[in-house]
Amino acid sequence: QVQLVESGGGLVEAGGSLRLSCAASELTFSNYHMGWFRQAPGKEREFVAAITWVDDNTYYADSVEGRFTISRDDAKNMVYLQMHSLEPEDTAIYYCAARSPTATQWGDYWGQGTQVTVCS
């Protein structure tokens, strides 16, 4: 059974940094695009960042461009989200996701999420 397990969330002051990790199991990890999404209280889940398979192209939401960096280690079946200059608006549950290159939208696999809280 495929599992995506996030870690690294927590409470941080505005301007601080956090690094989220996502460990994948029972998945041919290198064959999937990997992404991070987040959901704030009362809001819909939104795209944060993604990294493609094979060529590691990266994509970011405008709201995090220049502050967040997504990376992957296919040998370890891990994907990371380095977050800098955090703002209270970044407070949300952050989810790791995997998407087959042939899929038209995200949803093949999701993690359970990790809470990030940024206090001002």
Side-chain angles (χ1 to χ4, degrees):
Q1 183 178 352
V2 173
Q3 280 194 316
L4 300 177
V5 180
E6 302 94 337
S7 62
L11 175 65
V12 63
E13 291 186 350
S17 300
L18 281 175
R19 187 194 195 207
L20 305 183
S21 300
C22 174
S25 60
E26 303 301 326
L27 181 73
T28 308
F29 186 79
S30 60
N31 290 354
Y32 284 79
H33 303 312
M34 298 300 297
W36 287 94
F37 289 73
R38 67 186 182 186
Q39 187 167 18
K43 296 187 177 181
E44 293 187 352
R45 188 175 299 188
E46 65 175 3
F47 169 78
V48 175
I51 185 166
T52 62
W53 76 304
V54 179
D55 49 11
D56 289 357
N57 287 331
T58 56
Y59 302 88
Y60 297 95
D62 289 344
S63 59
V64 306
E65 180 82 52
R67 299 188 298 123
F68 291 10
T69 302
I70 187 171
S71 61
R72 64 191 295 163
D73 185 336
D74 289 349
K76 296 182 178 179
N77 284 9
M78 297 288 294
V79 62
Y80 306 98
L81 187 67
Q82 180 67 57
M83 306 184 293
H84 294 298
S85 302
L86 283 161
E87 304 166 352
E89 294 74 20
D90 296 316
T91 294
I93 299 174
Y94 283 71
Y95 298 91
C96 176
R99 195 188 99 189
S100 167
T102 59
T104 58
Q105 58 186 2
W106 292 90
D108 289 319
Y109 303 106
W110 293 95
Q112 293 299 305
T114 185
Q115 176 71 48
V116 172
T117 303
V118 184
C119 59
S120 57

